[in-house]
Amino acid sequence: MSVPIFKDFHKHIIGKGGANVRKIREETTTRIDLPGEGSGEDKILVTGKKANVEKAVAQLTQIQNELASIVTLDLTIPAKIHSRLLGGGRRLVQDIQDECGGVQIRFPPEKSNSDKVTIRGPKDDAARAQKLLMDLANDRELSSFEDSVTAKAEFHRFLIGKGGSKIKKVRESCPDVRILFPRESDKDQETIHLIGRKEEVAQIKKHLEELILHLNEIVEVTTDVPAKWHKHFVARGANVLREIQDQNGGVSISFPRQNAQDTKVSIKGSKDCVEGAKQRIAEIVADLEAQITIKADIPAEYHRTLLGNRGQKVQDICAKYNVQIKFPDRETREAGGNHEEASGDGPSVLNTVSISGRLENCESARTALQACIPITEVAEVPFEFHGNLIGRSGETVRALMQNYDVSISIPPADQQLNEIKISGQAESVKDAIAEIGRRVDEFKLGAKDRELRMFQLTVQVPPEYHQRLIGPRGQKINQMRAKHDVQISIPKQAEGEEPNENVVITGYEENAHKCKAEIEEMVNELKNLFVQEITLDARIHPRLIGAKGRSIRKVMDDYHVDIRFPRSTDPDPNLVTVTGKDEDSVYNCIDHLRELEEEFSQDIGGGSYMSHRTEEPEVAQKQAPLQMVNAPWQVPDTNNMSDFPAMGAGAVGAPSGANGVWGGQRRF
């Protein structure tokens, strides 16, 4: 998701050293990408799981709302004018947004025919944008003349002037005319758009054309540059020379031939561009004349680290302080490695880094370079928290190293040390140690909480009540666990061992005592119940219970009792227990069960269950073997006529008076 945050607030979103945005990333487990400083874009992109992204967007919006009093203003602007205001790639609207602190101006969809326009931003900026937009809309109704001027892209900076001084002077005569220069994202980088009243636009256009004509006037001047500095401009592919040309409209700069003693340098191009290039050359020469070289003592073991990533850190320091930094070359390293030479009492040649430039710049560059030297600090982290700091598969410690650009070394577990080592730049190491300290405090609080949750109590519950404590499918004990936020451990009864009555409750002390009191109260109630055991034929137990226990539940509800059937491991499969609060209910239920037993026993043919179960196996073996006669697959004897019965009147045993196989005629 992308969330619009006013450009002025981005630095507050980032925080000192990136602390704020880093905190939001860690809390929401998201990736937060902010636009570059010079991009002009105000939207921040948040990537991650949907719930986490929504949480991060809410935090970013909250920060913005806290930084300024954000208001939303609704304006009514006729829909027919919207296209005029939004023409030219929203140049007018974008210009107003930039001028008013980056407020957000929302127009309705193109085909909605709605007149409602919304402005959102800080109160003062939104009010100023409202006035500018309404003035522009009113002016559009009177006049919407638009014209343009074409100028080379390299001339635009001269038309605008330093800090916009020149373009402000141009606008003074016609303040209602909008002058729109191309943006970096525009394909056309030469066209300057003018919008306003026709006569005022014509006046501004004429003034700009005069300035552009003046810029197009080709002049040629010369300047003196000492021969010893020529190499600085043309060395390394003439990078310095090309930079001057690019910054000054592509002027042509010609240096004398190499080894010539001529000091004249020729500059050719438009007048303003030539003057700008000449001034820049003079500044560079002045820096070179004032240039000195100082030494910085940087241990050789850190040179590779500083020059890592293609020397990006060193290049940034050079550009920032306008200096040149030179590390020992290979020959120097080999010589220094063989002889360990040192210049007087100074540092070894292996550790000497040269910095050239103005004195004040060299000192600042040396300080910045030394600040990049990695250091190693030791942080106190109790051994018991090392696993928490490492995280699952090392993800926590990797995130710390990535966020703070440091290396974290955690000692092996067998050493059980209460410290870890953090290596990196001094500032980064300091921030990383502070973050680790904060996390250790959180781990300690968590460990203390876990210790409090491990309080245990033991309550005596007779084994015969364990099943009642558990309840059907563990429903009762699960409810008790959730109610008191505890763990309840019921001992298993192993065959051949003495019954164990100890039920263990684990949790916060207060919760454990409350749970114990509830269990003891339940046990006391169970002890006061009237219990009666009866013998019911095990073959009818399924009939008594019914499908999914519906039948037996109805009996228990009718008589307000509890009925327990034997388990497969019980010695007596016929023993059933009936429990109730009073004797009458229990005995009435038993009478009802006896009636059901008698009824169901008739259905299964009667007989004693025990006699059926205790029949000797020898009796079954003495029974006659099973014989099968007249089966369809047995072939009849064709010589025996008795196997083929006669049909009709002649049949043996045929009823008298029978006429044929179908019998005689029926009379009605």
Side-chain angles (χ1 to χ4, degrees):
M1 294 177 61
S2 60
V3 52
I5 300 293
F6 299 110
K7 194 73 175 178
D8 293 343
F9 297 157
H10 285 196
K11 60 183 179 181
H12 300 285
I13 295 292
I14 297 171
K16 186 178 180 180
N20 292 346
V21 72
R22 188 162 54 244
K23 182 180 179 182
I24 297 174
R25 285 170 178 160
E26 292 176 356
E27 290 179 353
T28 60
T29 320
T30 56
R31 175 181 173 182
I32 301 176
D33 297 318
L34 286 88
E37 292 185 6
S39 67
E41 179 65 39
D42 64 348
K43 291 183 179 179
I44 297 177
L45 185 65
V46 185
T47 308
K49 293 183 178 180
K50 184 177 180 182
N52 295 343
V53 168
E54 291 175 349
K55 182 179 178 182
V57 169
Q59 291 188 21
L60 293 172
T61 306
Q62 182 181 359
I63 292 176
Q64 177 176 244
N65 293 338
E66 290 174 355
L67 291 171
S69 177
I70 305 302
V71 298
T72 301
L73 304 178
D74 293 332
L75 286 68
T76 301
I77 298 177
K80 62 182 180 180
I81 306 177
H82 291 183
S83 59
R84 299 179 183 177
L85 297 175
L86 297 173
R90 293 177 61 96
R91 291 178 181 277
L92 283 171
V93 175
Q94 185 65 44
D95 196 41
I96 293 175
Q97 289 182 161
D98 295 341
E99 188 174 336
C100 298
V103 296
Q104 300 162 11
I105 302 177
R106 307 293 183 192
F107 280 78
E110 185 177 355
K111 297 182 180 180
S112 65
N113 295 324
S114 174
D115 296 336
K116 183 179 178 181
V117 178
T118 303
I119 300 177
R120 185 175 183 273
K123 187 176 180 179
D124 295 340
D125 291 338
R128 190 151 57 98
Q130 180 185 19
K131 183 179 184 304
L132 289 174
L133 190 60
M134 290 303 298
D135 291 345
L136 185 61
N138 295 333
D139 185 65
R140 277 299 191 181
E141 289 186 296
L142 298 175
S143 174
S144 59
F145 185 75
E146 183 174 349
D147 205 344
S148 62
V149 178
T150 301
K152 294 180 180 180
E154 53 265 27
F155 290 165
H156 291 182
R157 58 189 296 267
F158 296 101
L159 294 174
I160 296 172
K162 188 175 182 179
S165 57
K166 288 187 178 181
I167 201 65
K168 286 179 182 178
K169 189 174 181 180
V170 172
R171 284 173 172 166
E172 287 177 359
S173 58
C174 301
D176 294 333
V177 177
R178 312 294 297 185
I179 305 175
L180 307 177
F181 284 86
R183 295 172 294 186
E184 292 182 3
S185 57
D186 293 341
K187 293 182 179 179
D188 185 359
Q189 291 290 316
E190 296 187 352
T191 303
I192 304 171
H193 293 269
L194 309 174
I195 302 174
R197 297 179 183 274
K198 184 175 182 180
E199 58 277 8
E200 293 180 351
V201 167
Q203 183 179 344
I204 295 292
K205 181 178 180 180
K206 182 179 179 182
H207 193 167
L208 289 176
E209 286 177 341
E210 291 175 356
L211 293 175
I212 295 169
L213 183 62
H214 179 67
L215 288 171
N216 283 322
E217 292 179 1
I218 303 300
V219 297
E220 184 174 0
V221 299
T222 59
T223 183
D224 287 330
V225 177
K228 62 180 179 179
W229 304 125
H230 290 186
K231 186 177 180 180
H232 175 79
F233 290 92
V234 299
R236 297 188 302 276
N239 287 339
V240 177
L241 197 59
R242 281 206 302 270
E243 182 181 354
I244 296 173
Q245 291 173 326
D246 293 341
Q247 292 177 352
N248 294 277
V251 296
S252 175
I253 304 175
S254 300
F255 275 78
R257 292 181 179 180
Q258 190 175 5
N259 299 325
Q261 297 302 317
D262 190 3
T263 61
K264 299 296 182 182
V265 175
S266 174
I267 308 172
K268 184 177 181 181
S270 63
K271 185 176 180 180
D272 289 352
C273 296
V274 166
E275 291 297 329
K278 181 179 179 180
Q279 182 180 354
R280 178 58 183 153
I281 291 174
E283 291 174 356
I284 294 175
V285 170
D287 287 341
L288 293 173
E289 294 286 352
Q291 189 177 73
I292 64 168
T293 299
I294 65 174
K295 307 295 184 180
D297 184 10
I298 308 292
E301 58 187 291
Y302 300 127
H303 290 186
R304 183 179 296 273
T305 302
L306 295 176
L307 293 171
N309 193 20
R310 298 183 179 180
Q312 187 62 47
K313 291 181 181 179
V314 177
Q315 291 176 16
D316 292 342
I317 294 175
C318 292
K320 182 176 181 180
Y321 298 104
N322 192 23
V323 296
Q324 294 179 350
I325 299 175
K326 183 180 180 182
F327 284 79
D329 54 23
R330 178 178 297 178
E331 295 179 358
T332 304
R333 289 198 302 270
E334 291 175 354
N338 294 330
H339 305 291
E340 292 293 333
E341 297 177 355
S343 57
D345 297 331
S348 166
V349 292
L350 288 176
N351 303 336
T352 302
V353 176
S354 301
I355 305 175
S356 302
R358 287 182 177 269
L359 177 61
E360 59 275 13
N361 293 346
C362 290
E363 295 290 347
S364 300
R366 179 165 59 183
T367 302
L369 193 62
Q370 290 175 339
C372 294
I373 299 175
I375 64 171
T376 300
E377 295 286 347
V378 177
E380 293 292 331
V381 178
F383 171 73
E384 59 189 286
F385 300 138
H386 286 191
N388 302 84
L389 191 63
I390 295 172
R392 182 181 299 176
S393 302
E395 60 183 10
T396 303
V397 72
R398 280 200 302 271
L400 283 171
M401 290 191 290
Q402 181 178 358
N403 292 338
Y404 291 95
D405 192 20
V406 296
S407 174
I408 299 177
S409 175
I410 299 178
D414 56 355
Q415 297 182 9
Q416 297 191 0
L417 298 178
N418 294 327
E419 60 183 31
I420 63 172
K421 294 181 179 179
I422 301 98
S423 302
Q425 294 184 18
E427 191 68 24
S428 300
V429 170
K430 181 181 177 181
D431 294 340
I433 290 177
E435 174 64 18
I436 290 172
R438 184 185 67 80
R439 297 199 178 199
V440 169
D441 292 339
E442 293 179 356
F443 298 154
K444 289 180 179 178
L445 291 175
K448 185 176 181 180
D449 182 71
R450 286 193 298 272
E451 183 179 352
L452 293 174
R453 290 181 65 92
M454 294 305 293
F455 179 79
Q456 289 188 346
L457 277 180
T458 302
V459 56
Q460 303 293 327
V461 179
E464 58 267 23
Y465 299 147
H466 288 183
Q467 192 61 35
R468 295 176 182 272
L469 177 61
I470 296 172
R473 298 181 181 178
Q475 182 178 2
K476 184 172 291 187
I477 196 171
N478 287 336
Q479 289 177 350
M480 202 174 298
R481 286 169 176 162
K483 177 181 178 181
H484 298 287
D485 189 22
V486 296
Q487 293 295 325
I488 303 174
S489 177
I490 298 179
K492 293 183 179 180
Q493 304 297 333
E495 187 175 356
E497 294 183 359
E498 294 184 2
N500 189 351
E501 297 184 352
N502 296 328
V503 174
V504 180
I505 305 170
T506 305
Y508 292 114
E509 183 176 0
E510 182 180 358
N511 295 351
H513 280 292
K514 289 181 180 179
C515 183
K516 179 181 178 181
E518 184 174 342
I519 292 176
E520 289 176 342
E521 182 180 355
M522 185 190 72
V523 171
N524 291 333
E525 290 180 359
L526 292 174
K527 288 181 178 179
N528 294 329
L529 294 176
F530 182 74
V531 181
Q532 189 68 32
E533 293 181 347
I534 60 172
T535 301
L536 296 176
D537 193 338
R539 292 177 296 175
I540 68 167
H541 288 185
R543 295 283 299 275
L544 290 174
I545 295 172
K548 297 184 179 180
R550 293 192 185 96
S551 300
I552 201 64
R553 277 201 300 271
K554 185 177 185 305
V555 174
M556 290 191 290
D557 292 341
D558 291 343
Y559 291 95
H560 305 290
V561 296
D562 183 71
I563 302 173
R564 296 290 174 182
F565 288 88
R567 290 174 293 187
S568 59
T569 57
D570 291 346
D572 188 356
N574 303 313
L575 194 63
V576 177
T577 304
V578 183
T579 306
K581 292 184 178 181
D582 58 86
E583 296 183 14
D584 292 341
S585 299
V586 172
Y587 284 123
N588 290 337
C589 179
I590 290 174
D591 293 340
H592 180 68
L593 292 176
R594 294 292 187 193
E595 293 174 0
L596 293 176
E597 179 187 28
E598 183 178 354
E599 179 182 342
F600 295 153
S601 296
Q602 292 175 359
D603 293 342
I604 63 176
S608 171
Y609 173 81
M610 291 304 294
S611 62
H612 175 74
R613 293 284 293 176
T614 57
E615 183 178 355
E616 294 295 330
E618 290 80 8
V619 176
Q621 294 177 1
K622 294 178 182 179
Q623 292 179 354
L626 180 65
Q627 295 183 357
M628 193 170 295
V629 181
N630 296 330
W633 57 83
Q634 293 177 336
V635 180
D637 186 2
T638 54
N639 296 322
N640 187 359
M641 296 303 296
S642 62
D643 286 346
F644 297 90
M647 303 181 67
V652 178
S656 60
N659 295 326
V661 70
W662 301 111
Q665 182 179 2
R666 295 186 179 183
R667 299 179 183 274
F668 297 94

